[in-house]
Amino acid sequence: MEIAVLAAIGLLLLGGIVAFAVGNRGWSIGTVVAALLVLLATGGFLYLATRLAARDAAWAKAVSDLEQRLAKARDGLGPTADGRLEPLPDVKSVAMLREERDRWSRAAATVDTWRTRSWENASYEPDGGDGPKPGARITVPRPPRPPAPAAAGADPNQPAPAPQPPLLAAGAMIFLFDESPLAEGGRYLGAFTVREAAFDAGIDSQVLTATFVGEPNERERKVLSEPHGPVTIYDELPVDRWIAFFRLNPSTDAANAYGVTARNDVAAQFDGIDDDDVRALVQAFVERFEQHDSEVSEAEWPAALQQLSEGAVVPGSFWATVEFTKSHTFAGAAGSTSREFTAGDKAEFDLATALELRDRDLVQVRRVVRRRPLSDALAAIYGTQVGPVAEQGDGGSQRADGAMTLLRQLRSEIVVIDTAAQRLDQALAATTANTEATTVVVQELTEDLGSWERDATAATGVADAFATSIDKTTRQREQADQAVVALGRELAATLARLTAEIDRVAPAPGR
């Protein structure tokens, strides 16, 4: 606009000079040439003024757009219909972003406690030994050194670098994870005890000589006999958190105050795994994960409570949000303080406690949700103490055996079972030999049975003939006995007559 006003003033000035020249000198060649030059100069001046005006408008628009973009990015403001700047609903200012960054940094620092101290990008090389416990050479690169302190004028909102973990020492127990995808061999390698630790300045790394903890099976031996990398070393096994396996999703920030949504592709990470056991574990985890934070209707509360009482689900699987209707104080246990609640206060309790408080007319149950049971890998593998621990000794606590202890017991039982199986095999072999010998005897006896049966038949015939002969002989003997008796009687009678006759003919003297 300013250029247009100056151009109009210039044109009027040139027109006045031309009119004055023509009025004083009249028309001549000089005035005509001068008039033509003035017209040409006027056209060039107008073209130049137009170009400058267009360039000025373009720069003005660029400056306006830049100011709007700057206001949008820095302050979260946007132009309205009347040209004023007002806050945009879906855009956050730099100050808001800094506040959100600090909030998430604090949340990350809180959540990151699951991993304890860790050393990344290490390499695992088996030592090639054939001892009962595999050994390995582990190379741990020195973590990047933190940058120098910020110079004057640096951004004070820039978060300070995280402290670097110290180097490992001999005697430490470490836990190794192969960070490769599971389909490419990534897995938990196991626990190792550091026997030797030395720093190699040539490669700026620490070199560890470590031994596997426990007694590996054939599958573990195969895995540990191969190199692995990159490997992450943990000072302690990671601790499960409910926020694990979640990811940020900016599109849901408006609906979710934490900007967090559940992952729906957990199982997709295990595509290509042929191990049915691993797939079954993943499927079971995905099912538990999908139920996490799902709301339980009031009609399902009795069934959930029954599952808890019967041990069908672990304690802590159901949590209730309650609102106190009356003031109540929970007495603190030994070494802890009591806690007071007033009417209107909200709190979370396990389902059994919440329903008990509701039955006592102390609270109203607002919401019941499922929660995925958390697991402690260190306790699951190596066991832990369960129960109260006294100041001196374990007190009333009990030892809960982990998988390693159970595995050791099972292996001892397997040895006993194998020994019993060997004895049974020996007994079976002896029994089989006896059975075979008995079978031979049975075959021989079977062959002799025919001869025995023929002999028995012949003997039966002989016995029958002998019996017949005995009967005949018996009858003959009876007849002979009768004849002998008759003859004896006749002999006795004859002797009696003969004696009488002799006595008659020659009587004895003295008669």
Side-chain angles (χ1 to χ4, degrees):
M1 180 62 66
E2 293 83 357
I3 296 177
V5 173
L6 292 177
I9 294 174
L11 289 177
L12 291 176
L13 181 59
L14 288 176
I17 295 174
V18 171
F20 179 76
V22 171
N24 288 336
R25 301 195 175 195
W27 289 101
S28 63
I29 295 177
T31 57
V32 172
V33 171
L36 291 175
L37 292 176
V38 168
L39 292 175
L40 291 175
T42 301
F45 183 76
L46 290 175
Y47 175 76
L48 180 60
T50 304
R51 295 292 297 172
L52 289 175
R55 180 58 61 87
D56 180 76
W59 275 106
K61 186 177 185 306
V63 171
S64 177
D65 293 343
L66 185 60
E67 289 178 346
Q68 292 180 7
R69 291 169 56 191
L70 182 61
K72 180 179 180 180
R74 182 186 61 192
D75 304 322
L77 302 176
T80 60
D82 56 359
R84 293 183 296 105
L85 295 176
E86 292 184 354
L88 297 174
D90 298 331
V91 179
K92 298 179 181 179
S93 65
V94 173
M96 296 174 63
L97 291 175
R98 286 176 178 171
E99 181 181 355
E100 186 173 359
R101 182 197 63 189
D102 295 340
R103 179 168 60 87
W104 279 110
S105 297
R106 292 191 298 270
T110 302
V111 174
D112 201 41
T113 56
W114 67 270
R115 68 169 61 239
T116 64
R117 295 189 303 175
S118 61
W119 296 262
E120 299 178 349
N121 299 321
S123 62
Y124 172 92
E125 293 288 341
D127 60 2
D130 56 355
K133 295 185 178 182
R137 182 178 185 270
I138 304 171
T139 304
V140 187
R142 182 197 292 271
R145 292 178 175 82
D155 186 3
N157 296 311
Q158 186 69 24
Q164 301 300 325
L167 297 178
L168 291 163
M173 186 175 181
I174 57 177
F175 305 89
L176 273 60
F177 286 81
D178 189 336
E179 295 295 343
S180 303
L182 188 58
E184 300 176 7
R187 64 193 65 206
Y188 170 60
L189 298 179
F192 290 78
T193 301
V194 179
R195 299 200 315 269
E196 299 177 2
F199 187 81
D200 189 341
I203 59 176
D204 196 27
S205 301
Q206 190 179 23
V207 180
L208 308 177
T209 302
T211 304
F212 185 77
V213 176
E215 301 176 3
N217 54 28
E218 294 300 324
R219 188 175 184 179
E220 291 173 330
R221 285 187 178 277
K222 183 178 182 302
V223 172
L224 296 176
S225 64
E226 302 172 351
H228 294 273
V231 173
T232 298
I233 303 173
Y234 292 93
D235 188 37
E236 295 180 2
L237 279 177
V239 180
D240 198 2
R241 294 284 190 271
W242 278 318
I243 201 171
F245 301 99
F246 278 65
R247 64 179 177 186
L248 300 182
N249 189 346
S251 63
T252 62
D253 282 354
N256 191 332
Y258 298 99
V260 176
T261 55
R263 300 183 62 169
N264 56 4
D265 58 345
V266 176
Q269 298 184 16
F270 299 89
D271 290 340
I273 302 303
D274 298 329
D275 195 325
D276 294 335
D277 294 336
V278 174
R279 282 195 168 275
L281 292 173
V282 173
Q283 184 62 33
F285 171 78
V286 171
E287 292 176 357
R288 292 195 303 268
F289 178 77
E290 290 176 347
Q291 294 180 354
H292 179 68
D293 208 29
S294 61
E295 190 165 350
V296 181
S297 63
E298 186 172 356
E300 299 177 285
W301 295 354
L305 193 60
Q306 183 176 1
Q307 290 179 353
L308 290 170
S309 61
E310 294 177 351
V313 296
V314 298
S317 298
F318 298 95
W319 286 83
T321 302
V322 302
E323 182 178 349
F324 281 84
T325 58
K326 300 178 182 178
S327 298
H328 183 69
T329 301
F330 291 93
S336 61
T337 58
S338 59
R339 186 171 182 183
E340 297 182 358
F341 291 92
T342 60
D345 289 346
K346 292 184 178 181
E348 286 189 356
F349 296 95
D350 64 279
L351 180 60
T353 303
L355 294 182
E356 179 186 357
L357 294 175
R358 184 196 64 176
D359 295 339
R360 294 166 57 186
D361 294 330
L362 294 175
V363 300
Q364 290 182 348
V365 180
R366 298 300 186 185
R367 184 171 181 261
V368 177
V369 297
R370 292 182 176 87
R371 285 187 180 174
R372 175 176 63 86
L374 301 180
S375 60
D376 186 344
L378 188 63
I381 297 177
Y382 299 101
T384 186
Q385 293 293 130
V386 179
V389 179
E391 295 181 359
Q392 300 293 334
D394 293 336
S397 65
Q398 297 180 353
R399 179 70 183 178
D401 293 333
M404 293 294 292
T405 303
L406 297 178
L407 181 61
R408 192 180 304 110
Q409 294 174 355
L410 289 175
R411 285 177 174 170
S412 300
E413 294 178 2
I414 289 174
V415 172
V416 174
I417 293 174
D418 288 342
T419 303
Q422 292 176 1
R423 293 176 180 175
L424 289 176
D425 290 340
Q426 295 173 356
L428 178 61
T431 304
T432 303
N434 293 333
T435 302
E436 292 176 352
T438 304
T439 302
V440 173
V441 173
V442 169
Q443 292 176 352
E444 294 176 351
L445 291 176
T446 302
E447 294 174 356
D448 294 339
L449 181 61
S451 300
W452 293 345
E453 289 177 348
R454 289 190 298 270
D455 294 343
T457 302
T460 301
V462 172
D464 292 341
F466 186 72
T468 303
S469 177
I470 289 176
D471 291 341
K472 183 179 179 180
T473 303
T474 301
R475 286 193 301 270
Q476 291 176 354
R477 189 197 64 180
E478 290 176 352
Q479 293 175 359
D481 289 341
Q482 292 175 359
V484 169
V485 171
L487 291 175
R489 289 175 181 174
E490 290 178 359
L491 177 60
T494 300
L495 289 175
R497 287 193 302 270
L498 180 60
T499 301
E501 185 63 28
I502 292 172
D503 288 338
R504 184 183 63 80
V505 175
R511 283 188 176 184

